[in-house]
Amino acid sequence: MELTPIQKEIIIELINLQRQKDSAVKGEEIAELIDRNPGTVRNQMQSLKMLGLVEGVPGPKGGYRATGAAYEALSVTSMEKEAEVPLYRNEDVVKGATVAEISFTTVRHPEMCNGRLKVLGNIKEFSGGDLVQVGPTPVNRLIVRGEVVGRDDTENLLLFKITEMVSLPKKSIKHYIKKDTVSIDANATIQEAARVFITNKVHGAPVEEHGRIVGIATFMDIGETLASGKINLKVKDIMTKNVITIDGNASLSDAVKMFDDHNIGRLIVTLEGVPTGMISKTDVLHELVIY
């Protein structure tokens, strides 16, 4: 089904408004957005209704609704329950917009990676040189950033040069807890703790007492203690007791957010409320390495 540019423009705005209002859309609302005469929009609506792309809704709160065929005509999947994929322009979220598709157009180019974004929402504020960010997407938590190089209003597409892509694995945190996690006894001296760190090449570890994790100790804790001259203290005296925990069923992206929110580098992982291990920023970075 080949639509004219004005028909595509009307359907795009109809879908955008329908998503925002979750109700029928008046022809006058569309006319104002596309800067057309309301009579022109009404005439086009008659043609779109005959094509099965639009249905009329009677009554004082009536108007028009896009059908599933309208989404198909624009090559956009219609969903009863959709997840929002946020779109940002120059670090500001574009209200009412969601990204329907991300496609990569130059994946074989040795020095360039370009893409296209099909958007449900208003993209007319975008212009060349604007910074654009998409995501995170709901399943793979993909974030794509780049610079706008063009805009196709007929298809509601943004053309952009991709500068950065980040995605974290879907598996929950419990799959990344090391079985041989290094731990330190609460009654160990700071000298003993330092040897454990050096031997195992780690910068921090959970502290255990009677088989239970009671805190976290780090090289920084040891350094600050030695700098103050308190060399006879034990690990339980210098550890961080009020540790931040995260459920083992949470995702790596949840962990990254907690690292950022609390400005910390390590989280105690719990399973059914019981502390069972630790995950660090280094562990997360390790999962992003491509071998």
Side-chain angles (χ1 to χ4, degrees):
M1 181 186 306
E2 189 65 32
L3 299 177
T4 65
I6 187 173
Q7 287 175 330
K8 285 184 177 180
E9 195 174 15
I10 288 172
I11 291 176
I12 286 169
E13 295 301 343
L14 175 59
I15 289 174
N16 292 344
L17 288 170
Q18 190 174 303
R19 288 180 61 255
Q20 294 174 40
K21 297 174 56 177
D22 194 26
S23 62
V25 178
K26 302 287 186 185
E28 291 78 9
E29 296 176 273
I30 297 173
E32 184 178 350
L33 284 173
I34 66 174
D35 196 23
R36 297 273 187 166
N37 186 285
T40 302
V41 172
R42 282 194 293 272
N43 290 336
Q44 291 294 332
M45 284 298 188
Q46 295 305 313
S47 300
L48 293 171
K49 286 201 310 192
M50 291 178 64
L51 292 171
L53 304 180
V54 169
E55 60 185 11
V57 179
K61 294 185 178 180
Y64 303 99
R65 277 187 177 277
T67 66
Y71 285 84
E72 292 177 10
L74 297 179
S75 301
V76 176
T77 304
S78 175
M79 302 179 190
E80 286 188 14
K81 185 178 181 181
E82 67 174 31
E84 294 290 330
V85 179
L87 176 68
Y88 294 83
R89 174 180 172 267
N90 296 329
E91 299 185 357
D92 293 325
V93 68
V94 180
K95 294 181 180 179
T98 186
V99 176
E101 292 178 12
I102 306 172
S103 57
F104 305 103
T105 57
T106 56
V107 291
R108 293 187 299 131
H109 197 287
E111 299 176 355
M112 185 187 305
C113 185
N114 290 346
R116 293 181 298 194
L117 303 174
K118 183 178 279 291
V119 179
L120 295 178
N122 188 355
I123 61 170
K124 293 181 180 178
E125 294 296 319
F126 281 91
S127 58
D130 282 346
L131 300 180
V132 62
Q133 175 180 310
V134 181
T137 57
V139 178
N140 294 304
R141 312 304 292 174
L142 173 66
I143 294 176
V144 184
R145 298 186 181 98
E147 181 182 322
V148 173
V149 296
R151 195 182 77 210
D152 183 342
D153 290 338
T154 304
E155 301 292 339
N156 225 48
L157 291 173
L158 286 175
L159 314 176
F160 72 124
K161 178 174 64 179
I162 298 169
T163 56
E164 185 179 357
M165 288 190 291
V166 179
S167 180
L168 291 171
K170 289 192 296 182
K171 289 192 296 186
S172 57
I173 288 173
K174 62 187 176 186
H175 293 97
Y176 302 105
I177 304 173
K178 296 182 178 65
K179 294 180 179 178
D180 55 348
T181 299
V182 175
S183 62
I184 303 172
D185 188 274
N187 291 302
T189 65
I190 57 174
Q191 290 86 353
E192 290 170 333
R195 281 195 291 270
V196 170
F197 289 156
I198 293 169
T199 301
N200 293 278
K201 298 179 180 179
V202 296
H203 295 278
V207 179
E208 288 192 353
E209 189 170 36
H210 307 304
R212 186 170 63 89
I213 295 176
V214 294
I216 289 180
T218 67
F219 250 138
M220 184 175 291
D221 296 327
I222 292 175
E224 289 176 349
T225 303
L226 292 176
S228 65
K230 301 175 182 178
I231 61 175
N232 296 318
L233 295 179
K234 294 185 176 180
V235 170
K236 63 182 179 183
D237 300 317
I238 68 168
M239 69 181 184
T240 300
K241 297 177 182 177
N242 298 321
V243 296
I244 307 296
T245 64
I246 187 168
D247 189 272
N249 292 309
S251 65
L252 282 181
S253 61
D254 293 329
V256 170
K257 187 174 187 307
M258 290 188 73
F259 288 143
D260 186 57
D261 289 346
H262 298 283
N263 193 27
I264 54 176
R266 295 165 185 81
L267 292 166
I268 294 295
V269 181
T270 62
L271 290 175
E272 297 183 357
V274 179
T276 56
M278 187 182 73
I279 189 166
S280 68
K281 285 183 178 179
T282 303
D283 296 328
V284 175
L285 289 172
H286 176 76
E287 294 305 318
L288 297 178
V289 175
I290 300 174
Y291 294 98

